[in-house]
Amino acid sequence: MKLITLFFFLLFSKFVWSYPHYIGHGYPSCMNCHYNPFGGGTVNDYGRAVSATALSADHLYPSSWDNEKTAYHSGFLFRPPTQKWVRTQINYRGFNIIRNPGSGDVEKKEWITMQLDGRAVLKFGERDQLLFSAGLSYTPKPASPGPGVKDESDIRSREYYVGFRPTPSFGVYAGLMDKVYGIRIVEHIAYSRTYPQVTQNDQTHGVAFHYLTSEWEAGAHVFLGNLGQEEDIRMKGASLQVEKTFGSIHRIGGSVMKSENEYLSLMAYSGQLRMSLKDGASFQGEFGQVHKQSANGLVDIVSRYGLLQTYLKPFRGVYFLTNVEYIKSDIESEEYTVRWGPALQYMPIQRTEFRLDLYNTRNFNPKTSVKDTWLLLLQTHFWL
Amino acid sequence: MNSNTTDRALYGGGVSDPHLQILKSKCMNCHNYHSEWLNYTTDDDWLNYGLIIRGDAANSLLIQRTVNAGGNMPQGGSPLSPAEYQVLLDWINNIP
């Protein structure tokens, strides 16, 4: 009963936050559903209840189940927590990737385990003021790994940190975490994630500060690189991100990040916008620039990227997405690339997600024509 | 694997061979994590893995995949300039 009371209190409270495109459901910040205020990692009790009752479809539940009953079963292993100290989560995400579908011998099919995580959060205080979060992930290496990759373990942690939140508006988090930069979308192959080097495995050790009010959300991150790597290749640096709420339900902001190791320095800037349209629909965009310089003088290049995504929710449990990405890998070149396509996301029941993405990549080059590439991506995602 | 795992192999030290400079800046900047290209440090490595044919640039896979030869590489990056392309042709055609 306590959980249900908490659920409805949070549902109708003023400050509710979450996943970037879930701004369309009225959640401008990630913090309401995740223990990590910048998003990702273990989902909290409220996030589980929202996922079960607002995001997933309800047609597979018995007709006697209402939202209260569904929320009641949204805890780990379908049970409400019996204590308040520990929360756990298990995630699996796999992709069936078909490159150039329907093109005969050019077609390539591959199954990739993208995510297999076990996570736990130990938390203390009425508001979870003190928390310890950790996770262990299976990260398979590619079939033909490059140097330095072959020796890496298939098991790694993508997150372990201690967080302390003395007031509801301010918190400090220290440990291994994702870098605070840009819109933290799930599509980690997006140019907006690969060029600034904030992809699925780019976590870093450091200290992050988080500030949140009804008008502003900000994060600052000072990092030492991933201490699991050899020191010469650890990317050390700092980042800053600020977002402002406007029109009560939209967000506008920007990020800046500087990082470097012995071989490479990277400076990245971005501007970002997230808008809540209506009833789960949303729009989000990020534009940025990355300056990459190698110490040996081989590379000194400025790249510019863009991301536009729209989410429409025709009915509960289904989202229709459009994704448009732009990359000009050298701003002095006339050439640029656009990757775009539709996607369908279906969450038939809580803890289950199926997603179909079609990507077309087109290269625009005034001097020559390049054949388009196509990618069909079938994703399954389950969690407990 | 982090985005910078291959930085030492990719950007460490000076690169004296002109063809390796081009391969590193135009090809291996992407062909690193999912391929073994950064492990290829000698002409024999490139030959043994079938990416080039000794003395026959025109029929070498590495060349055929470039935009300059009608392929689509480098994808999402600047194409090889005519001078860079010529350096690769000369390298392959002159491997003893």
Side-chain angles (χ1 to χ4, degrees), chain A residues 42 54 57 72 121 179 181 280 307 346 362 380:
Chain A
T42 310
Y72 182 83
V121 169
K179 293 170 199 158
Y181 179 87
L307 168 82
Y346 175 44
R362 175 165 291 190
T380 51

Side-chain angles (χ1 to χ4, degrees), chain B residues 9-81:
Chain B
L10 197 52
Y11 307 117
V15 181
S16 52
D17 293 329
H19 69 272
L20 267 182
Q21 284 186 16
I22 295 162
L23 290 170
K24 283 197 170 186
S25 62
K26 290 290 179 75
C27 307
M28 297 185 211
N29 55 334
C30 291
H31 289 269
N32 47 55
Y33 173 45
H34 287 98
S35 85
E36 297 190 48
W37 287 24
L38 277 166
N39 293 321
Y40 305 165
T41 53
T42 66
D43 291 350
D44 282 343
D45 289 336
W46 293 94
L47 290 162
N48 292 340
Y49 284 96
L51 287 163
I52 61 173
I53 299 170
R54 190 188 304 272
D56 189 0
N59 286 308
S60 294
L61 188 61
L62 182 79
I63 295 298
Q64 289 178 337
R65 295 300 304 274
T66 63
V67 166
N68 312 60
N72 64 352
M73 291 289 164
Q75 273 186 41
S78 308
L80 299 171
S81 69

Side-chain angles (χ1 to χ4, degrees), chain A residues 359-379:
Chain A
Y359 287 105
N360 167 237
T361 305
R362 175 165 291 190
N363 183 271
F364 293 86
N365 187 326
K367 292 177 185 150
T368 182
S369 66
V370 179
K371 206 173 175 182
D372 285 13
T373 56
W374 294 85
L375 185 73
L376 190 63
L377 205 140
L378 301 145
Q379 182 186 152

Side-chain angles (χ1 to χ4, degrees), chain A residues 68-87:
Chain A
E68 283 194 35
K69 181 106 172 169
T70 307
Y72 182 83
H73 288 284
S74 67
F76 184 64
L77 299 177
F78 301 91
R79 290 179 298 195
T82 54
Q83 41 68 34
K84 58 181 291 189
W85 316 109
V86 181
R87 295 292 180 267

